[in-house]
Amino acid sequence: MTDEPHGSGGAVEPTHGPGPTTRRRQLALGLRALRKAAGLTAEQAGELAGVSKATVSRYETSKGNVRWNQVDQLCRVYGAPDEGRLALVDLAKTSKATDGWWVPRVSSMPSALGMLIALENEAARIRQFTSSVVPGLLQTSGYARAIKATPGYGLPQAQVEEFLDTRMLRQALLDHDRSPQYRVVLDESVLRRNVGGPAVMAEQLDVLLDRGSCPRVSIQVLPFSKGAYSASLTGFMILGAEDPSYDVIYTENTGGSLFLEQEEERQVASASFHYLSTEALSVESSAEMIAEARKKHLQV
């Protein structure tokens, strides 16, 4: 998984407050729950609150700007208690805040990539499994440039350069004072696949060893000797909030990027990652395999 649209290692969790993207999602879930509890359709709620059905739907799907006075009126229509109403109004008032460590300004950035960056900014913990390439947050520029585009995903060179620059900027997240706990499980094939030649691979594996020694980063390898797993068909990333009920699963397929947030989807992804990390080598043994793979690439 490239992380971009087309072992615990003893990590210490930083303290994060909900960012603007998370706040909008909390607001959407809260409004939807209140409306359903009131037994109203979006159209009925809009009529009673003096807003359009489209506005009600937009607020419940975290799309577009939010007006706190309309949120207040909707809460009153739903019969929300004052404490709950004021909490949602506060979320509406702060949903535009941009207090993340980095606000990207790439004009051609797909909306899915913008969402991914926002969720990375706000995550307290990130768990990721990759089956084919090094995750974007850990890639060197040489490795990222050497990844081949599959048919149908060709981009103009200028846009390719924008995406590469963006990917490198994203990595500063791991050096920030609010960096999330980052746990990665790599399929062994990631280490063995030749991407860009021996020098590029040696540099990339050096970076994995260096990053893996950081207190908030742990890297494990799932060896070939463990056999095949259904999860190995695709990679996935779990972007964790302080409240696990707001976790989001990010994955990619030939149809594009997907953000999954249903409770059942979160449970499956979490269980899958737990199983894969349990089956994988320890952080220490994984580092030994990464170092061994580096030597073999240089011997080619």
Side-chain angles (χ1 to χ4, degrees), residues 6-294:
H6 331 282
S8 70
V12 178
E13 286 189 11
T15 299
H16 289 249
T21 303
T22 300
R23 287 192 288 266
R24 284 194 295 271
R25 293 179 60 245
Q26 290 174 337
L27 176 62
L29 292 172
L31 288 174
R32 190 183 312 150
L34 285 174
R35 178 177 59 78
K36 289 185 176 181
L40 297 172
T41 65
E43 185 174 6
Q44 291 169 335
E47 289 178 355
L48 292 171
V51 299
S52 67
K53 173 185 175 181
T55 296
V56 175
S57 297
R58 180 160 50 83
Y59 285 4
E60 292 185 8
T61 53
S62 308
K63 296 179 180 178
N65 293 326
V66 178
R67 294 183 179 179
W68 70 264
N69 58 320
Q70 292 180 335
V71 169
D72 182 78
Q73 186 58 32
L74 284 168
C75 287
R76 292 178 187 277
V77 166
Y78 301 149
D82 286 344
E83 183 178 358
R85 175 177 59 82
L86 293 174
L88 290 181
V89 167
D90 184 62
L91 286 174
K93 289 180 176 179
T94 59
S95 65
K96 292 183 180 180
T98 54
D99 56 0
W101 67 275
W102 170 52
V103 181
R105 290 179 170 80
V106 179
S107 60
S108 57
M109 180 184 296
S111 59
L113 177 53
M115 174 65 78
L116 175 60
I117 290 172
L119 291 170
E120 286 177 343
N121 289 350
E122 299 169 13
R125 65 194 65 82
I126 298 174
R127 290 167 287 172
Q128 185 166 12
F129 169 69
T130 61
S131 59
S132 57
V133 296
V134 171
L137 287 174
L138 298 174
Q139 290 176 8
T140 65
S141 58
Y143 184 94
R145 194 177 297 278
I147 294 176
K148 299 176 181 178
T150 53
Y153 287 94
L155 296 172
Q157 189 58 35
Q159 194 169 351
V160 169
E161 294 301 321
E162 276 190 320
F163 285 146
L164 288 174
D165 289 344
T166 300
R167 183 173 297 184
M168 295 303 106
L169 284 170
R170 282 172 56 205
Q171 296 179 3
L173 171 69
L174 300 180
D175 298 315
H176 196 267
D177 58 5
R178 293 173 58 199
S179 62
Q181 177 188 7
Y182 187 36
R183 296 183 59 193
V184 181
V185 175
L186 306 173
D187 187 85
E188 185 178 344
S189 62
V190 175
L191 308 182
R192 307 302 179 188
R193 181 171 288 106
N194 188 339
V195 178
V200 169
M201 285 302 301
E203 179 188 25
Q204 177 62 76
L205 296 179
D206 276 339
V207 167
L208 291 183
L209 290 170
D210 181 60
R211 284 295 193 186
S213 66
C214 297
R216 290 179 178 170
V217 178
S218 68
I219 299 174
Q220 295 177 263
V221 177
L222 184 66
F224 291 146
S225 61
K226 290 293 184 175
Y229 299 85
S230 60
S232 67
L233 298 176
T234 184
F236 60 92
M237 176 188 287
I238 305 173
L239 298 132
E242 287 290 355
D243 183 344
S245 64
Y246 294 110
D247 286 0
V248 178
I249 296 89
Y250 174 80
T251 187
E252 300 169 3
N253 57 34
T254 54
S257 306
L258 295 174
F259 293 92
L260 309 174
E261 51 187 335
Q262 297 300 314
E263 178 60 26
E264 182 179 356
E265 295 166 336
R266 286 195 293 266
Q267 290 179 357
V268 169
S270 183
S272 295
F273 186 85
H274 176 74
Y275 181 68
L276 292 168
S277 62
T278 300
E279 289 290 285
L281 298 175
S282 68
V283 170
E284 294 75 19
S285 295
S286 295
E288 292 175 3
M289 179 175 281
I290 293 170
E292 178 265 334
R294 181 187 183 280

